[in-house]
Amino acid sequence: MNALSSRRAKRLILTGAAGLTALTLAGCASGSGGGGGDAGGPLVLYTWAASEGDQAQWADFIEGAQAEDPDLDISVEGPSFSDYWTKVKTRLSGSNPPCLLTTQAARAQELGDLLMPLDDLIEKSGFDIDNIDASMLSGMTVDGTIRAIPYDAEPIVLFYNVEAFQAAGLELPGAEYTRDQFIADAKALTDGEKKGLALAPGIFIPNAWSLADGVPAVTEDGELDLTNPEFVDQIQSFFDLVSVEQVAKAPEAADGSEVSQQAFTSGEVPMLIEGPWMYGSFADSADFTLGVTIVPSTSGEAAAMTAGSGFGIAANCDRPEEAFAAIEALTSVSVQEKQAEARGIVPARIEALPAWAEGKTEGAAEVVEALLADATPQRTTPTWNQVETLMTQYGVQGYRGELTAEEIMETIQNSVAG
């Protein structure tokens, strides 16, 4: 499981068995009844649906959508998150394929051929895309056409321990935070082996660090651009937090994201860069007040890498108008508000954003709003799993100062391109 899928698994928290009654799991065989094509039968949503947490989430979505449209009939099938990206291609080539699919903005390019362009359906239905987060719509756009409607827009943030900052006499950061101030704060919070920042292996968080300064790993044309000197400099500055600034420990390649998360929630380390979907889990685990600020940028201004998912229609679906009506219900304001309140996801609908503020510490919502005002989706390539694996492997040497970012990025770029 790559870094992003590990984080996605963390956010799918089971909210109660009662929600499962709303979910009908379709058979996984390609010829299962209902499928995507039987007129009058249930629309099949093919997604990551292997765990109880996954199933509870989709049950909540469907229950909320049925409140919008009582006649809506959706069944769900699918493998684990990690298997989904391969198995969805096989599933759509079988008989009676599903009509509804999920994708992440980061993987929309990879699934582009499987997803129907939605622009005509959007225009015909009068669907208001102006109320959807622009960065996520950009991430869901392939070859100039929208392929999925996002349901969340998650700007990566910096979580911090408010009491630790106060005890060190530091000003609490908000919607602005320069890298110089961040490093000064991290050094003030570092005491020998007790470091100021917790790190996880992989490229997900270094990519968010780079995009906070507006430098992507993948071009808008979908080309891997790891050897771009500006990106190399960004990654080197992130490695330097360990090898030069000494405000973090180098992660081990075998560490999962839970290692850095546990270090943060236990109070061992006072800062961690993560997705806002972790807020509820962190608040439940930590015995300190959670602070939320931007991923530090050179200028101090808020700019974010967003991660998020959405619903699309299979290119071979023969019930597209019915499927799009289902997507409208599944991504309605009321559904996204419920998801924000119950699960802590940052909704893709701007109108629903205030629901995420409920129960959060002062200033958290303002930080998220500032980040979404200048956000770029995490863009990947079909070879991104390879990039993630190689960064996990070689990145440890970068943090330790044994290899430079230039050497590591060149190695990964050549290995993947070759």
Side-chain angles (χ1 to χ4, degrees):
M1 182 177 289
N2 63 29
L4 183 55
S5 63
S6 174
R7 287 167 174 81
R8 173 70 62 181
K10 290 287 183 182
R11 62 186 274 195
L12 296 177
I13 301 169
L14 183 62
T15 58
L20 295 175
T21 60
L23 180 65
T24 301
L25 283 176
C28 292
S30 61
S32 60
D38 292 348
L43 287 166
V44 174
L45 170 63
Y46 193 80
T47 184
W48 41 90
S51 73
E52 287 185 334
D54 295 335
Q55 294 164 20
Q57 183 186 46
W58 303 130
D60 284 349
F61 265 103
I62 293 170
E63 182 180 15
Q66 287 171 336
E68 296 284 319
D69 179 4
D71 295 327
L72 189 63
D73 190 6
I74 298 176
S75 62
V76 178
E77 65 168 86
S80 67
F81 182 94
S82 58
D83 289 339
Y84 174 77
W85 308 100
T86 300
K87 292 187 175 180
V88 65
K89 301 169 186 178
T90 303
R91 179 66 183 88
L92 286 179
S93 65
S95 61
N96 200 17
C99 264
L100 294 170
L101 305 176
T102 49
T103 187
Q104 292 184 326
R107 310 294 286 264
Q109 299 292 327
E110 181 180 347
L111 299 188
D113 291 343
L114 305 181
L115 293 164
M116 179 182 295
L118 301 181
D119 300 70
D120 289 345
L121 291 165
I122 289 169
E123 183 177 359
K124 185 175 181 179
S125 67
F127 184 81
D128 183 13
I129 60 171
D130 291 337
N131 191 245
I132 304 293
D133 177 75
S135 69
M136 282 295 95
L137 277 178
S138 172
M140 300 294 190
T141 297
V142 179
D143 294 333
T145 60
I146 297 172
R147 303 302 176 97
I149 302 298
Y151 59 77
D152 66 340
E154 312 277 4
I156 308 308
V157 300
L158 173 68
F159 287 99
Y160 64 91
N161 182 326
V162 170
E163 283 79 11
F165 266 69
Q166 291 172 333
L170 303 175
E171 182 178 347
L172 300 182
E176 295 183 356
Y177 202 25
T178 67
R179 288 191 179 170
D180 286 345
Q181 187 60 56
F182 161 72
I183 291 171
D185 290 346
K187 286 182 175 180
L189 294 164
T190 295
D191 183 9
E193 288 302 303
K194 184 176 180 181
K195 303 297 184 181
L197 177 72
L199 297 176
I203 200 166
F204 183 70
I205 298 302
N207 198 16
W209 173 271
S210 186
L211 277 171
D213 260 10
V215 182
V218 176
T219 68
E220 290 188 4
D221 295 331
E223 298 296 324
L224 196 63
D225 199 24
L226 302 182
T227 54
N228 172 4
E230 291 185 25
F231 184 74
V232 169
D233 288 346
Q234 290 289 329
I235 299 303
Q236 187 62 58
S237 71
F238 198 73
F239 285 159
D240 287 350
L241 296 176
V242 176
S243 57
V244 177
E245 307 297 350
Q246 299 184 0
V247 296
K249 292 180 182 178
E252 298 296 331
D255 288 351
S257 57
E258 67 276 0
V259 174
S260 57
Q261 292 169 1
Q262 173 63 27
F264 175 67
T265 57
S266 69
E268 176 186 346
V269 179
M271 290 191 285
L272 175 69
I273 299 173
E274 254 294 0
W277 58 81
M278 292 304 301
Y279 189 104
S281 177
F282 287 170
D284 289 342
S285 301
D287 61 0
F288 54 82
T289 305
L290 278 181
V292 178
T293 185
I294 68 170
V295 175
S297 64
T298 301
S299 68
E301 296 178 358
M305 180 182 87
T306 47
S309 301
F311 299 103
I313 300 174
N316 56 356
C317 172
D318 60 1
R319 300 161 63 184
E321 292 186 2
E322 187 180 347
F324 191 76
I327 290 175
E328 289 185 274
L330 288 166
T331 61
S332 66
V333 172
S334 62
V335 171
Q336 292 196 19
E337 286 176 338
K338 180 180 177 183
Q339 291 292 318
E341 292 167 359
R343 297 178 179 276
I345 72 168
V346 177
R349 280 190 177 272
I350 298 167
E351 291 176 68
L353 192 56
W356 187 84
E358 294 296 322
K360 306 301 188 297
T361 50
E362 183 179 357
E366 287 76 9
V367 167
V368 167
E369 289 176 9
L371 288 169
L372 288 178
D374 186 7
T376 303
Q378 185 200 23
R379 287 190 173 91
T380 66
T381 66
T383 57
W384 195 252
N385 281 342
Q386 246 184 301
V387 174
E388 179 70 43
T389 299
L390 291 171
M391 181 63 169
T392 299
Q393 176 184 346
Y394 292 113
V396 174
Q397 293 173 276
Y399 289 117
R400 292 173 178 166
E402 298 166 357
L403 292 174
T404 65
E406 183 177 13
E407 291 170 323
I408 293 172
M409 292 303 104
E410 185 174 356
T411 297
I412 296 174
Q413 179 86 28
N414 291 340
S415 297
V416 172

